[in-house]
Amino acid sequence: MESKHSSSKANNAILEDDGNQKTTADAGGRGRCYFSELPWHIMLEILLRLHIEAVIRCRYVCKAWRELLLDPSFAKLHCASKPMGVVLQSSLFPHGNSGGLYLLEPQEQEPSSIIAKFNQFPYLESTIVNSCHGLICSCDILMADPIYISNPITGEYLILPKGETKPDFGQFVSGFGFSPKTKQYKVVKYSESLEIYTLGSGTPWRRTEHVPPARHRSLFGTFVNGALHWLVKLPNGSVLIRSFDLDDEKFRTIPLPLSRCSDASFKSSNLGILGDCLSLSSIVMDDASGWDIEIWVMKEYGVRESWIRELVIKSPSPCEQGWNPEQVQVINVLKNGEIVINCGGCPVIYNVGQESFRLLKPNGIFLTHVNAIAHASSFVSLKDIIVLGDGSEVGEF
């Protein structure tokens, strides 16, 4: 593996500061581009090693590079090779429209570098549901419609056709993910009845089974292992994880750790992803410190006995840190092992070795009322997914 210094040299070998293609004068004094003479697979390997912002600039160098970078095969390879970053959606008001979308690329230390900020449609009119393969699903949090699928890197968005289901007292549950079996992206929403929309199928929303009533800790599903997951409390008081498999489109129950099945746990817990595993973060009251954050991880999917208490985080002083973790959710694990946590709308980074917190302030900007999700930027194009004729049309921003 090349060093960071080598990667930087590769960047400079490809791009000038003005974004033009690097040329070298030959014996006749004419400009000559040696990069374009490289074999295709070598060019592809170099481009895959670049930071995302450099790749974006490469699209405007020449037609050949643009065609290469817009090829679906490049998007697939790029998506598989890049680690998770973070997307922050900052709101103007706690329950209002968003003030902007901050796309952060994972760095060696922390995701503090903003690739881009998007303060235009559709991010000003919707709330992020979740992200999958670089595509972001967002919706009107109260009415569920309209639902948007977008890629901030390609600048494409899709407005899904409206479904039949109407929200029941504001309790509208939704989720977005990818079926490993059918290789299709699917959007799920339900209040009393379940509706499914499959991107690229050419068919409208499909209304299927009745969904048993339950209180949801979060209206947006956590996507892992080919399924969407919600922490729910049933009318009989039982607390469990409700999952929806995107392959066979069936609901299932995922067991919680035995110590996390109470009503108190439901009110203080959230689902997330730690590595590639389903995680549960909970606030536990402690007589000595006031409260602790427990992070549980399901090492073997679907097996209750595989839940382990991965980490216990001792609380800092809320006044000193400027945030009060009434809600906690694990967002992402960085390359250096630090953990990004969303604490009641305030993103923080926890250093496991030093047992210390610090605020996540991209480019020094302090953000409040933040919706944070794990996100891997990609060049997946919606134009390669959808089928014309189902009422869908890809727009650009």
Side-chain angles (χ1 to χ4, degrees):
M1 181 178 295
E2 292 186 356
S3 65
K4 183 177 180 181
H5 178 67
S6 299
S7 298
S8 176
K9 290 175 65 178
N11 273 319
N12 294 332
I14 294 171
L15 295 173
E16 294 284 5
D17 288 340
D18 60 1
N20 294 323
Q21 193 168 353
K22 180 76 173 181
T23 60
T24 303
D26 60 14
R30 294 168 297 179
R32 181 178 178 183
C33 175
Y34 289 102
F35 184 82
S36 297
E37 298 178 4
L38 293 173
W40 182 86
H41 69 281
I42 298 296
M43 287 198 301
L44 184 63
E45 181 64 25
I46 293 174
L47 291 170
L48 287 172
R49 290 171 180 260
L50 298 178
H51 291 305
I52 189 73
E53 63 265 38
V55 180
I56 294 173
R57 291 169 60 197
C58 286
R59 291 190 299 174
Y60 303 100
V61 171
C62 62
K63 183 178 179 181
W65 285 24
R66 182 174 179 84
E67 290 178 351
L68 172 62
L69 296 174
L70 294 179
D71 190 283
S73 61
F74 175 81
K76 184 177 181 180
L77 290 171
H78 183 272
C79 189
S81 64
K82 296 300 180 181
M84 282 286 184
V86 177
V87 161
L88 304 177
Q89 186 180 36
S90 177
S91 298
L92 295 177
F93 304 101
H95 304 290
N97 293 328
S98 65
L101 186 81
Y102 294 82
L103 189 61
L104 313 182
E105 185 178 10
Q107 306 292 332
E108 292 298 326
Q109 295 300 322
E110 62 180 87
S112 59
S113 176
I114 297 176
I115 298 175
K117 178 190 175 184
F118 302 89
N119 58 359
Q120 68 272 61
F121 177 86
Y123 306 116
L124 289 177
E125 302 181 14
S126 61
T127 300
I128 292 179
V129 175
N130 59 349
S131 167
C132 181
H133 297 171
L135 301 179
I136 294 176
C137 178
S138 56
C139 72
D140 184 308
I141 194 171
L142 295 178
M143 300 304 297
D145 285 319
I147 293 178
Y148 307 96
I149 306 295
S150 61
N151 186 335
I153 295 299
T154 64
E156 299 171 338
Y157 72 90
L158 177 67
I159 303 177
L160 301 191
K162 290 187 177 182
E164 298 180 3
T165 305
K166 301 300 179 183
D168 180 23
F169 303 109
Q171 178 87 318
F172 212 108
V173 181
S174 55
F176 172 62
F178 182 76
S179 167
K181 184 178 181 179
T182 65
K183 309 299 181 185
Q184 293 174 310
Y185 294 92
K186 298 182 180 181
V187 179
V188 172
K189 64 175 182 176
Y190 66 86
S191 179
E192 294 181 351
S193 298
L194 173 70
E195 285 189 282
I196 305 169
Y197 185 86
T198 303
L199 274 67
S201 65
T203 60
W205 288 88
R206 293 177 288 116
R207 191 169 182 173
T208 59
E209 61 185 289
H210 173 77
V211 183
R215 285 182 57 199
H216 291 70
R217 187 68 179 91
S218 171
L219 299 182
F220 303 144
T222 299
F223 177 70
V224 64
N225 206 58
L228 294 163
H229 303 79
W230 298 269
L231 183 64
V232 302
K233 181 181 178 182
L234 303 181
N236 63 6
S238 300
V239 178
L240 50 86
I241 297 173
R242 173 182 285 173
S243 73
F244 182 78
D245 192 303
L246 293 180
D247 283 341
D248 60 16
E249 299 182 350
K250 299 293 184 183
F251 281 105
R252 292 182 173 84
T253 297
I254 303 294
L256 284 165
L258 289 175
S259 62
R260 300 287 93 203
C261 294
S262 66
D263 179 65
S265 296
F266 173 75
K267 295 178 180 178
S268 63
S269 301
N270 280 293
L271 296 179
I273 303 173
L274 194 64
D276 294 324
C277 298
L278 185 65
S279 72
L280 179 76
S281 49
S282 300
I283 296 177
V284 180
M285 299 308 297
D286 182 89
D287 293 337
S289 62
W291 53 265
D292 296 332
I293 301 174
E294 290 186 353
I295 299 178
W296 293 75
V297 177
M298 179 175 265
K299 293 293 187 179
E300 185 176 350
Y301 183 75
V303 179
R304 166 174 276 169
E305 291 73 21
S306 71
W307 281 107
I308 65 168
R309 192 169 61 175
E310 184 82 6
L311 188 64
V312 177
I313 301 175
K314 298 296 183 181
S315 64
S317 169
C319 295
E320 292 178 4
Q321 293 294 333
W323 51 272
N324 191 352
E326 297 176 355
Q327 301 180 25
V328 293
Q329 183 181 28
V330 174
I331 302 301
N332 197 6
V333 180
L334 305 179
K335 293 180 180 180
N336 60 3
E338 293 184 319
I339 302 174
V340 181
I341 302 174
N342 192 13
C343 295
C346 184
V348 299
I349 295 177
Y350 179 71
N351 185 298
V352 179
Q354 299 178 6
E355 297 185 351
S356 61
F357 290 89
R358 66 180 182 276
L359 294 172
L360 173 55
K361 297 190 290 186
N363 291 15
I365 301 173
F366 177 67
L367 302 174
T368 59
H369 307 308
V370 167
N371 181 20
I373 61 169
H375 174 80
S377 298
S378 79
F379 291 87
V380 173
S381 174
L382 289 171
K383 296 177 182 178
D384 296 325
I385 297 174
I386 72 161
V387 174
L388 298 178
D390 66 347
S392 302
E393 183 178 351
V394 175
E396 295 184 354
F397 54 84

